[in-house]
Amino acid sequence: MKENINAEASHKFPMRPVAPLGVIAMRGCEEMGNRVNDYLMNWQLDTSTTDERLHSFYGSDANGFLLEAHCPRFGTGEGKGMLRNSVRGYDLYIICDVGAYQCTYKMYGKEIPMTPDEHYADLKRIIAAVSGKAYRINVIMPMLYEGRQHRRTARESMDCAVMLQELVNMGVSNIITFDAHDPRVQNAIPLNGFESVMPTYQMLKAMCHAYDDLKIDKEHMMVISPDEGAIQRNIYYSSAMGVDLGMFYKRRDYTRVVNGRNPIVAHEYLGDSVEGKDVFVADDIIASGDSILDLAYNLKKRKAKRVFAGATFAFFTNGLDAFNKAYEDGVIDHVFATNLTYTPKEVLEAPWFSQADMSKYMAFVIATLNHDQSLSYLLDPWKRIERLLNRYREEHRV
């Protein structure tokens, strides 16, 4: 099933981009940067298709559109940003994964893993190294830095809003993120470009590739929202798939704080019976995974047939033991996530895990903005989802 964005996009691009294109993949994003560059290079070289309208001017001839940027560290842990290429007049796209915890640096002889704070600091260093010479600076931050600290409920910091304002004050024109925990945080920068892109199509595509016996209709499948905060994305999934929607309400103990949040006392279910049906649960983040596993056990008690979980970002901060046991016990059947943030090898090799590749989608976003065109056809994948599900039903006769 080929992703059919080209036909929709080809007539929307003028022949000339706004400026020469340069892509910087920050540390931890090298693989994604290379994949994005490959797509951009293919569109550049293949003039026999409608993709000729996706052509951009080269940034660095040696590496296609990729530019070299580094953030070396001193022995004390202090760092600096360095560019190996000229960026004067370029339309610059900086890809930064603040969740790339596999990256380390040395401080006083000790190996220190990079936290989101360090990745964000390196991003600012590279922007500072650009020194205002680029035609335009765009930041692609798949997981929004401090995105879960999106609103103030007490005397506490508003880290995400401060970050957005800081980037804008440094000269960033557009900020692209994926599945923001709460996209209303863009109200912090109402006069600047901010887009929260949803990976709905890619997630459904990954599920259709992994299973050939899905019956995507109201009689055999349901979409369940894990909480009230995820209701909008699950409404979209259920509407696109043409199935019913249910929801869990998290009852929390507000007298205690554990690991930065109020612990969940119980999950209360609201909706029709899930008995005998496949269930798809969508959320933006799987951190420890405790919440999604509690839901899976609850759904199995309600006699759900199979439980599929989809998350834009899957971290598994408490390891895989609980998920491995749940899979072996038949409680959870599969977890789908994107490659927008770092995923350990052991997760990729797990029999219950599949990854949705977002590199082509990201390349389309970059090419679209570089030609100064609307992102509307990318932000609303309804027609592509409809074609995907129709092809699936025809091919598998389900």
Side-chain angles (χ1 to χ4, degrees):
M1 302 179 192
K2 288 188 177 180
E3 192 169 354
N4 189 23
I5 298 181
N6 300 25
E8 300 174 25
S10 60
H11 69 284
K12 299 178 182 290
F13 293 91
M15 291 300 291
R16 296 178 65 84
V18 297
L21 173 61
V23 178
I24 293 176
M26 297 292 293
R27 195 174 174 201
C29 297
E30 294 88 351
E31 183 179 355
M32 176 62 79
N34 287 327
R35 290 186 179 188
V36 167
N37 185 56
D38 287 344
Y39 280 112
L40 295 171
M41 288 288 291
N42 287 338
W43 297 332
Q44 184 74 8
L45 297 173
D46 185 3
T47 59
S48 63
T49 70
T50 54
D51 286 337
E52 63 183 353
R53 293 183 180 270
L54 295 174
H55 290 187
S56 296
F57 297 131
Y58 279 108
S60 168
D61 290 336
N63 300 308
F65 296 97
L66 282 176
L67 303 174
E68 291 188 56
H70 302 277
C71 292
R73 299 268 178 166
F74 299 101
T76 57
E78 298 166 285
K80 63 179 178 179
M82 297 178 65
L83 297 173
R84 300 287 175 83
N85 310 89
S86 172
V87 295
R88 187 179 294 275
Y90 283 12
D91 188 21
L92 201 58
Y93 292 80
I94 307 175
I95 307 172
C96 177
D97 176 16
V98 297
Y101 64 89
Q102 82 279 19
C103 300
T104 62
Y105 64 95
K106 282 196 173 182
M107 185 171 70
Y108 293 98
K110 297 180 181 179
E111 204 75 22
I112 309 295
M114 289 183 68
T115 67
D117 291 342
E118 268 110 19
H119 283 292
Y120 176 53
D122 279 356
L123 171 64
K124 291 191 291 182
R125 290 182 176 112
I126 294 301
I127 295 173
V130 172
S131 303
K133 302 299 191 298
Y135 171 81
R136 183 172 63 181
I137 300 176
N138 311 272
V139 169
I140 300 178
M141 188 182 290
M143 186 183 74
L144 199 61
Y145 173 74
E146 294 289 0
R148 286 188 284 181
Q149 183 54 24
H150 60 284
R151 66 172 180 254
R152 176 178 286 160
T153 57
R155 287 187 293 274
E156 56 190 14
S157 60
M158 285 283 288
D159 298 50
C160 190
V162 170
M163 176 272 295
L164 293 175
Q165 292 179 353
E166 193 169 22
L167 290 182
V168 165
N169 290 335
M170 293 184 74
V172 173
S173 299
N174 295 298
I175 299 170
I176 310 297
T177 190
F178 287 79
D179 199 356
H181 189 69
D182 188 340
R184 290 175 297 182
V185 74
Q186 68 186 289
N187 292 335
I189 50 169
L191 302 181
N192 297 88
F194 179 97
E195 299 291 349
S196 177
V197 185
M198 298 297 293
T200 313
Y201 170 79
Q202 287 78 9
M203 296 290 281
L204 289 176
K205 185 178 178 182
M207 185 167 67
C208 288
H209 280 177
Y211 290 86
D212 59 5
D213 62 343
L214 297 173
K215 295 182 179 180
I216 306 175
D217 56 46
K218 290 185 177 181
E219 288 71 35
H220 301 93
M221 198 166 193
M222 281 188 70
V223 170
I224 304 293
S225 177
D227 55 39
E228 63 277 14
I231 191 69
Q232 288 300 323
R233 70 170 54 82
N234 283 279
I235 287 174
Y236 191 93
Y237 273 109
S238 65
S239 299
M241 297 164 70
V243 300
D244 290 331
L245 175 73
M247 174 186 145
F248 276 95
Y249 167 68
K250 292 178 180 176
R251 194 149 49 87
R252 294 181 180 272
D253 180 359
Y254 287 98
T255 64
R256 298 184 298 136
V257 175
V258 179
N259 294 329
R261 61 182 181 177
N262 302 107
I264 299 170
V265 176
H267 288 94
E268 307 290 352
Y269 177 67
L270 304 172
D272 293 336
S273 172
V274 298
E275 185 174 354
K277 295 181 180 180
D278 289 334
V279 173
F280 180 70
V281 182
D283 210 347
D284 58 336
I285 292 173
I286 294 178
S288 65
D290 292 343
S291 180
I292 207 75
L293 289 176
D294 286 345
L295 257 65
Y297 280 102
N298 194 314
L299 289 168
K300 280 296 183 178
K301 287 179 181 178
R302 297 173 184 274
K303 299 182 181 179
K305 182 181 177 183
R306 291 180 294 189
V307 178
F308 306 115
T312 307
F313 307 103
F315 300 115
F316 304 105
T317 54
N318 288 358
L320 303 183
D321 291 345
F323 277 87
N324 288 332
K325 185 178 186 306
Y327 175 72
E328 291 166 3
D329 294 344
V331 174
I332 196 163
D333 289 84
H334 218 89
V335 176
F336 301 93
T338 71
N339 62 339
L340 290 169
T341 192
Y342 170 68
T343 305
K345 185 179 178 181
E346 58 266 30
V347 176
L348 295 174
E349 294 176 347
W352 45 264
F353 182 82
S354 293
Q355 201 170 54
D357 183 13
M358 298 296 295
S359 55
K360 186 175 184 180
Y361 200 35
M362 190 179 293
F364 269 116
V365 170
I366 291 173
T368 302
L369 290 177
N370 183 235
H371 289 75
D372 213 16
Q373 295 296 297
S374 170
L375 288 175
S376 298
Y377 76 98
L378 285 170
L379 298 178
D380 185 6
W382 188 275
K383 291 182 179 178
R384 279 177 283 136
I385 292 174
E386 191 175 46
R387 288 195 295 267
L388 169 72
L389 296 180
N390 287 337
R391 284 198 306 269
Y392 181 85
R393 293 184 180 108
E394 290 174 6
E395 291 174 5
H396 301 286
R397 301 295 179 186
V398 292

